[in-house]
Each structure stands twice: as structure tokens, then as C-alpha cells.
Amino acid sequence: MGMLQRMGARLRLPFARARRSLGKHGIRWALGLALTMLAAAHVLSYLHSETLDRFDQFLSGLQLRLDPVEKDPRIVIVDIDGKALSEVGRFPWSRNVHAKLIDQLFDRYHVSVVGYDIDFPEPDTSSGYGVLEKLAKTELADLPEVGERVSALRGALDFDGQFASALQGRPVVLGFTPSIDQHKGVLPKPLFTEQDLNGRELDAFHAPGFEANIAKLQRTAAGAGSFAVSTDDDGLVRTVFLIQKVGEGYYPSLALATIAQHLKIRAIKPVFTETVDTLSDSQRAAGGVDAIQLLQSMAKRYKVPVGEGMTTVIQYRGRGGPQGGAFNYVSAADVLAGRVPAATLKDTIVLIGTTAPGLVDLRATPVNPQYPGVEIHANIIKSILEGRFKHRGQNATTIETAVVLAVGIALTLALGVVGPLASVGIGVCAMAGLAMLGQYAYTRHDLVYNGATPLLLVLALFVVNAVLGYLTTHRKNQGLVNRFGEYVAPELVAEMAEDPDAYNMDGESRELTVMFVDVRGFTTISEGLSPKDLREYINLYLTAMSEDIRSAHRGTLDKYIGDAVMAFWGAPVHQPDHASRAVATALLMQASATKLNEDFLKRGWPELKIGIGLNTGMMHVGDMGSAIRKAYTVMGDAVNLGSRLEGITKVYGVGVCVGAATRAAAPEFIYRELDLVRVKGKNEPVAIYEPLGKAGEVDGATLAAVNRWHEALAHVRAQRWDDAHAILTELQAVDPGFGLYQLYLDRIEWFRAHTPGEGWDGVTTFETK
């Protein structure tokens, strides 16, 4: 009996643990499983979301951009670029230029094939031969020698004839565009017709008309191909019509026609699915085609997979263009002039197109919003040559469903029992693992899987668990953050809340930058304003200064002391660039004071002038005060020096004065050295400076004046009074209102009467605060 009781107790123990776990984590597990089932239903097409479809499109574009890019020397783009337009003339060019271009490519460079991403739907009349011929038959008909001369010029001025002669017997494919309502030019013989397919109609884009090439050119060209592309709902080009129906015939794309000439393809035919015999009559009529086959010989065949509308997916390689793509670009001007190295073009597939923005052949694609249209055809040709096409595997849906279920169930169980940091780690690892697996399948096996659903499932599971975790068990340390909110800028509280353990209000020593701001002549201002106006005056001023400190550069607003403001940077949140933030804020505050003055003067109020002192150094920072009231503030010798520097600004007639430590910690600004001073309470002299703006943003006249000032300051310290006086007089003539110049002119006069002697250190001592 005892043994049975012990066995029962052992059996009850795991059940009890399971009940406790279910009670503690049951809600999270239930929500996680529900999200997993919804995700699986979407993969299996029981649910549909356009948002997820768009995210899949975004991920597909990201995969394209991450795919490594290597130049393919087999395909070269002859670019009608800005250089070509500059040397040859504006586009469209006369056909004799194209004739010369074709002659150069085949006779000089011995290319394999040329595909024109351009059509020629109208005769070329640029030579003026038609006008001459008309004149010879009308107004000048009584001058037979004119008619004879015009007839003799026919060959030289028949540019279409010259181009046609250049095309004769050469593997050149011209472009054309399917059209809804136009019938311009002529088309070559189609690849096949419905009759050739025993009455079967392919699921291909159908256009009743076309804009093609004039008969004289098309008859001598080796073929023609459509350069139309398929645009998705978001305006991006991801696929190309490999085969299009125009009228009653089926015609190839420019890429397909060009590669067929290069490979000397004997026939191009559709490949029907193996199960086509099981299709209904309506399905058979729609096509049942999964690929297009290029027959080079009985033993050599190329297969191109196609999707809806006889389209094939474009595998973009790089961002496109001469610098960012997988293909060599040469300017058409260099080909015409024979400047291209022979090895660059020999035996290559050449596509002639344009990247010049004004010629409107730039397409919006997942990798570049201005992708050269001609390079789209180059990518298709490269894929055919390599026999590699990005495609969804036969079991793609099954694999995606299995991944969603496995990831969803595993994360549901794991995230429900771990803490916040572990949840982040698991979520990041899961998303990174899914991304890496998808990219591996994409780059190594050319398999395209829809990754949006599993990735968003991971994110949703993490968010649900994070929210539930916050609401139930993870509220510690919020009191600390709330307390800091009483003292520091609210803009910093959110950052502190991410890791509250990293912050405390205990005193510590840290390098910071402190700021003191004061209004010049505030007593006079207060005497000249009514109490109501004075309150509005000071409120507008303090609001503007506080916004500059807290919002613009995330400083900590310490306190208001009457009309003065105290702030600091570098605590409680560490800011390695605290000095730079402080200097930038001081310059912004001076600009804000100037804007305030525009309003103040309109109201008839006194002008606002402020002085700002900055200093950088080791300071004590923390929650300081009495048992009755405390404040998060800074103290120390470096703080006192900052206050002294603010008072010194009015002596030197400047708006901002910083210490040497601040200048050294924020070297990206331009400074004017003001003096070496020994302030009250300190024995060691310090150099003081006026910041003028960031390097590169200060105008040349100001820089020149600063350089001259520094020359004058050097003369003063060397006791070369006449040299210093001359430069200062020159500077004062340009800027008579700058008090610094008059201050030093007065000093020079005093030093002339009271020579400081050889041991003078150039330091100015201040006996008052």
C-alpha cells in the first residue's frame, strides 16, 4: 500500500508542475498557437494579406541587393550616354550614324551579336534629300543638271539605305513595342502562331498593334524583339514578357531574340507541363506552359521558366549602370571613334541602349528607382546563358508551412517561460536564422521562398510576449525612471527606461560640459517693462532657450536662477560628444535670441542680449541637497569656471565664451582665441575662446578676419604694439561695432604707458566674479 502511495505521489508531481506552468504561461501559449495557425493559414492561401505580399516583394528586392555582383565580360552595353550626345549630337541620331556604329562593332571589334533597345518606326529625313528631290521636280525642274546632281546624291543622303546596308547579313536584332492602337512599321516572321500550336492559345500578353521598324530596316535585320516590361502594382519592374502575342503571332522579347542569334538557335518552342493531358479544355486553351525551350541542336537545349502571362523573373545584379551593375558599359562615342580596347568587345553580346536621363529609358526596380532599361535585357540574357533562374520550388508551399509551424510552436513554448533579455536573444536569433536560410536557398540554389510570414510571426510572438511580460512581471525599476523625470529632460527618460539598472542618482565624478546663460542688462529691462510684459518677456526667452537645450541637442536643464539658465551635457545619459553638443547649442541659442528680438522690437520691448559661458571638465553630478529638497545637479571647480566664463563675455563683447578644455573636446568648430585669463579663485591661467561655427560653415570673410585677429593677438603678447595697433585698426574699420577690437586698442594704449616688461606672461587677471 505504501509503495502504491509513493508511486501515486511521483505521478502527481509532474502533473502538478504542468498545471502550474499552464496557469502561469497558458495565456501566452494560447495566443502564440493562435498566431501560428493564422500564419499557416496565410501560407496555405486560406487567408490573404496584401501587406504580407508587399513585404515579400520588399524582401525579394533586398535579396537581389545582397546578391554578390561580378562583371560578366560576355555582355557589353554600348551606351548612348551624355558623352555620346555631346560628341555626336542630340538624339535621335541620323541613321548614317547607326550605320557607322554597326560597321564599327562588326568590322573593327568583331562582336558576336547586337541587340537594339531602340526602334525605328519612321523614315529618316534628316539628310534633306526629300526636299532636294522635290525641288528638282518642281521649282528647279527646268534645270536638268540639278535633277542629275540630286540623283547622284541619293546614295550619300539615303541614311535609311546606309543603315539597312550595314544591317545586311549581320546578326542585329531591332527593338519594337507592342501597342494597343498603333500599327507603325513592320514585324518579322513570328516565332510561332496558334496554328503552329494546333490551335492552342498561350497565356501571353496580347497587343493588337505595334510600333516597330520601317520595312527597309526590318527586311535586312536578323530579327526583332519586344522591349516591353511588366510593371507590378507598386510601380516596380520585376518580370519581363518573354513571349508576347501581337496580332495573330507570338514574338520574342529583345533579350530572347538577341540570345537566339548569339547561340544560333534553330527553334524556340513552348514546353507544356507533364500533366497537360489532365487539364480541362479551358485550362488547355489558357496554356499550361511552364517554360520556353531554345533548341540549338539535338543535344543542346536551353530552357527558360515562365510564369503568368509568359513572363520570366528578372535576376537583377547590382544597382545597375556603369558603376553598379554586372556588365561593362562603353560609350557609343568611343565605339564610333574607335577608342574602345578591342578585347573589351571581341565576340561579345552587345546591347545598344541609353542611360541618359532625358531619353526616358530608366525604370523603377526593386534595386534602383532609376535602373537602365537596357540592362534589364542584359540580366535576362545572362540568366539564359548560365541556365540559372530564380524560381519557387515545386514544394515551396509545403516547406513554408512546415517552417511556420515549427518556428511558431517552438517560439511559443520558449518565449512564454523566459525573461525579457532572453526573449530578445531568441527572437533575434530566430529572425537571423530564417533570413540566412532564405538567402542561402536564394544564392546557392536559386530558390525563392516567401519569408514575410515566418519573419512577421516571430516578431508578433515576441511583441505579444513582451507586452504580456510587461503587464505582469516586468515593471521593476520604473520608480527610478519616474524620479529622474523630475530632474532631467523628458526626452532622455525613454532612453533611460530601456536599461534603468544603468542609472542611479548617487553622486559620481564624470567629465561633463556645463553651460551658464544670462541676460545682459536685465535690471534695466525689468525697469522698462510692466510686470505683465516682463513676465511674458522672460517666459518667451526661457522657453526658447530651454527648447534649444533639451530638444535640439538633448542637454539636461539644471535650473533657472532668475533670468539665468544652467544646463549640462553628459549625464545622466552618457554622451561622448557632450562638448560638441554644448557648443552647438550655444550657437543655436544666440540665433534664437536674434529671432526673438524681431518680435520683441515689434512690440517695443528692449533688445535681448545674452551671454553664454561653457566649460568642460571633471564634475560631481548626482542628487544633491537637503532632506527637505534635492536636485539632480553638478558641482565642482569646472562648474565654477563655467560661471566665470559667462560673466567674462560682456568684458570681451562676445556672445559665447568657452574654456580651453571645451575647445579641445569639440575640435570641429572654428574658434577665435580671446585671451589668457586668471579668474577669481584660480591661480592657473586658462585660454578662453569664442566659437564661430562649424568648420566648413563659416564664411571666408570671417575666417580671414579671425586669422588677422590672431596675428594681432600674437603681436600684443610679443609687445609689438605698433603692429598690433595697425591690424586692430584695420579690423575695426570693417566691423566697428565689435567691442573686442576696442578693448585691445585701449589695452595697447595703456601698455604703451605702462610697459609690462620682459617677464610678462600675457595673462589678464580678474579680481571679481
Side-chain angles (χ1 to χ4, degrees):
M1 189 70 178
M3 183 181 295
L4 291 176
Q5 290 177 340
R6 287 193 295 273
M7 290 178 63
R10 290 173 184 174
L11 289 173
R12 287 194 298 272
L13 184 59
F15 283 111
R17 290 175 178 173
R19 283 197 301 270
R20 286 196 296 271
S21 295
L22 189 60
K24 185 176 181 181
H25 309 298
I27 295 178
R28 298 195 197 186
W29 288 344
L31 287 175
L33 290 175
L35 289 173
T36 301
M37 293 303 107
L38 287 174
H42 177 268
V43 173
L44 293 170
S45 299
Y46 293 113
L47 297 175
H48 181 257
S49 169
E50 291 187 1
T51 301
L52 287 175
D53 291 344
R54 290 188 177 275
F55 190 29
D56 275 321
Q57 291 176 340
F58 167 77
L59 293 177
S60 177
L62 184 60
Q63 286 180 317
L64 285 171
R65 291 190 288 273
L66 294 175
D67 220 3
V69 180
E70 295 181 2
K71 291 287 185 183
D72 189 336
R74 299 171 296 179
I75 304 170
V76 176
I77 295 172
V78 173
D79 190 7
I80 300 174
D81 54 4
K83 179 180 181 181
L85 297 181
S86 176
E87 292 190 16
V88 179
R90 67 180 182 178
F91 202 79
W93 291 340
S94 300
R95 305 282 162 78
N96 63 326
V97 176
H98 288 284
K100 182 180 179 182
L101 184 61
I102 293 298
D103 286 339
Q104 283 284 86
L105 288 171
F106 284 98
D107 294 340
R108 181 186 183 93
Y109 292 109
H110 307 289
V111 301
S112 171
V113 64
V114 171
Y116 256 103
D117 190 24
I118 301 168
D119 59 1
F120 304 93
E122 297 174 348
D124 184 354
T125 60
S126 62
S127 68
Y129 179 77
V131 176
L132 295 175
E133 188 177 40
K134 183 178 180 180
L135 287 173
K137 292 178 179 180
T138 54
E139 285 87 345
L140 302 178
D142 56 341
L143 300 174
E145 64 275 11
V146 173
E148 294 172 2
R149 182 58 178 160
V150 169
S151 296
L153 290 173
R154 177 184 292 273
L157 298 180
D158 182 8
F159 292 166
D160 281 328
Q162 294 178 30
F163 190 22
S165 297
L167 297 176
Q168 186 71 48
R170 288 168 168 165
V172 179
V173 177
L174 303 180
F176 75 89
T177 307
S179 173
I180 300 298
D181 53 5
Q182 293 193 72
H183 284 80
K184 297 180 67 174
V186 298
L187 290 176
K189 181 181 177 181
L191 291 176
F192 42 78
T193 64
E194 287 184 30
Q195 186 176 359
D196 297 327
L197 299 174
N198 297 321
R200 176 175 291 165
E201 181 180 359
L202 300 184
D203 177 25
F205 174 80
H206 182 206
F210 52 84
E211 181 181 287
N213 304 281
I214 62 174
K216 179 181 290 189
L217 300 178
Q218 191 59 69
R219 281 197 300 268
T220 56
S226 166
F227 43 65
V229 296
S230 174
T231 304
D232 290 344
D233 293 339
D234 58 0
L236 301 183
V237 176
R238 295 183 176 88
T239 57
V240 165
F241 298 109
L242 199 67
I243 300 287
Q244 289 181 272
K245 186 178 182 183
V246 181
E248 298 303 320
Y250 292 91
Y251 291 86
S253 68
L254 178 64
L256 185 60
T258 302
I259 192 62
Q261 287 291 324
H262 173 71
L263 298 174
K264 298 178 174 55
I265 297 300
R266 295 164 52 195
I268 298 176
K269 295 184 178 297
V271 178
F272 296 95
T273 60
E274 296 179 359
T275 59
V276 70
D277 292 335
T278 65
L279 299 176
S280 66
D281 291 340
S282 60
Q283 290 172 323
R284 290 168 67 87
V289 176
D290 61 5
I292 295 296
Q293 193 170 71
L294 289 71
L295 304 177
Q296 187 181 51
S297 65
M298 294 300 293
K300 185 65 174 177
R301 303 182 180 198
Y302 296 84
K303 186 180 286 188
V304 183
V306 293
E308 183 180 357
M310 301 298 288
T311 60
T312 190
V313 177
I314 306 163
Q315 183 183 348
Y316 290 103
R317 297 165 175 88
R319 292 183 56 81
Q323 305 301 324
F327 309 102
N328 291 319
Y329 276 70
V330 296
S331 174
D334 291 333
V335 175
L336 288 167
R339 295 190 291 257
V340 182
T344 301
L345 289 170
K346 183 176 174 56
D347 298 326
T348 59
I349 300 169
V350 169
L351 293 173
I352 299 176
T354 177
T355 61
L359 300 186
V360 197
D361 193 32
L362 299 175
R363 310 282 184 162
T365 70
V367 295
N368 189 344
Q370 291 188 313
Y371 193 90
V374 65
E375 197 166 329
I376 291 176
H377 309 299
N379 280 298
I380 298 296
I381 290 173
K382 180 176 174 64
S383 292
I384 295 174
L385 285 174
E386 295 175 347
R388 294 187 61 181
F389 294 87
K390 303 301 182 186
H391 65 285
R392 284 177 61 78
Q394 293 181 347
N395 300 319
T397 300
T398 302
I399 293 174
E400 289 166 357
T401 304
V403 168
V404 164
L405 291 175
V407 170
I409 293 173
L411 288 183
T412 295
L413 296 175
L415 295 179
V417 298
V418 300
L421 292 179
S423 294
V424 172
I426 292 172
V428 169
C429 289
M431 296 184 76
L434 288 170
M436 291 172 64
L437 285 173
Q439 189 66 12
Y440 174 79
Y442 183 86
T443 56
R444 295 293 185 180
H445 302 286
D446 297 320
L447 293 172
V448 178
Y449 293 107
N450 293 329
T453 302
L455 286 174
L456 289 181
L457 174 61
V458 173
L459 182 62
L461 291 172
F462 171 76
V463 170
V464 166
N465 279 276
V467 170
L468 291 176
Y470 173 80
L471 293 175
T472 56
T473 59
H474 300 294
R475 296 180 180 179
K476 66 179 182 179
N477 295 323
Q478 288 303 304
L480 175 65
V481 174
N482 293 335
R483 284 194 65 201
F484 262 116
E486 299 175 9
Y487 304 115
V488 303
E491 292 82 356
L492 297 176
V493 174
E495 182 173 337
M496 296 169 62
E498 296 176 2
D499 186 14
D501 291 331
Y503 304 95
N504 62 70
M505 307 191 77
D506 298 337
E508 61 175 316
S509 293
R510 190 189 298 183
E511 184 185 83
L512 308 173
T513 298
V514 69
M515 169 187 284
F516 288 88
V517 189
D518 196 18
V519 176
R520 295 282 167 260
F522 183 72
T523 301
T524 303
I525 292 173
S526 62
E527 291 174 351
L529 292 174
S530 67
K532 180 180 178 181
D533 287 346
L534 179 61
R535 182 185 64 185
E536 187 172 0
Y537 186 102
I538 198 68
N539 285 346
L540 289 172
Y541 149 70
L542 290 175
T543 299
M545 299 302 105
S546 301
E547 288 178 350
D548 288 345
I549 291 169
R550 291 167 57 163
S551 301
H553 295 285
R554 302 185 67 190
T556 298
L557 186 60
D558 190 318
K559 61 176 68 74
Y560 302 131
I561 312 168
D563 60 293
V565 182
M566 179 180 173
F568 55 90
W569 282 259
V573 176
H574 283 276
Q575 295 166 325
D577 58 342
H578 53 81
S580 297
R581 290 172 182 265
V583 174
T585 303
L587 295 173
L588 179 62
M589 292 167 71
Q590 288 293 345
S592 297
T594 301
K595 291 180 182 179
L596 281 175
N597 269 325
E598 297 177 2
D599 179 47
F600 288 0
L601 294 177
K602 287 179 183 178
R603 301 190 188 197
W605 290 353
E607 182 180 8
L608 172 68
K609 291 184 178 180
I610 60 173
I612 302 174
L614 297 174
N615 192 45
T616 300
M618 294 301 295
M619 305 174 191
H620 300 294
V621 59
D623 199 10
M624 303 179 191
S626 67
I628 299 174
R629 182 174 180 179
K630 294 182 179 181
Y632 187 75
T633 188
V634 290
M635 294 182 180
D637 191 51
V639 178
N640 297 334
L641 179 56
S643 176
R644 303 289 188 273
L645 294 180
E646 179 274 314
I648 282 176
T649 56
K650 52 192 168 188
V651 175
Y652 291 89
V654 296
V656 184
C657 182
V658 308
T662 301
R663 177 182 181 275
E668 66 270 29
F669 293 88
I670 300 295
Y671 297 88
R672 185 200 323 263
E673 184 179 358
L674 301 175
D675 204 351
L676 283 170
V677 300
R678 185 180 290 108
V679 299
K680 183 176 179 60
K682 289 183 67 68
N683 295 324
E684 294 297 323
V686 294
I688 59 174
Y689 302 85
E690 177 194 13
L692 302 175
K694 280 194 173 182
E697 298 178 2
V698 179
D699 61 85
T702 301
L703 290 174
V706 169
N707 290 334
R708 291 291 285 162
W709 158 257
H710 286 153
E711 292 178 21
L713 187 61
H715 288 317
V716 169
R717 290 171 176 170
Q719 302 185 41
R720 294 190 289 269
W721 314 123
D722 292 340
D723 294 336
H725 189 279
I727 294 176
L728 289 170
T729 302
E730 167 195 327
L731 292 173
Q732 191 178 50
V734 177
D735 189 5
F738 192 23
L740 181 65
Y741 301 147
Q742 188 60 50
L743 172 68
Y744 270 83
L745 286 172
D746 293 342
R747 284 187 182 180
I748 289 172
E749 293 305 316
W750 193 89
F751 282 138
R752 280 174 171 165
H754 306 82
T755 302
E758 294 183 1
W760 182 51
D761 57 7
V763 175
T764 301
T765 300
F766 287 87
E767 299 296 341
T768 62
K769 297 183 178 181

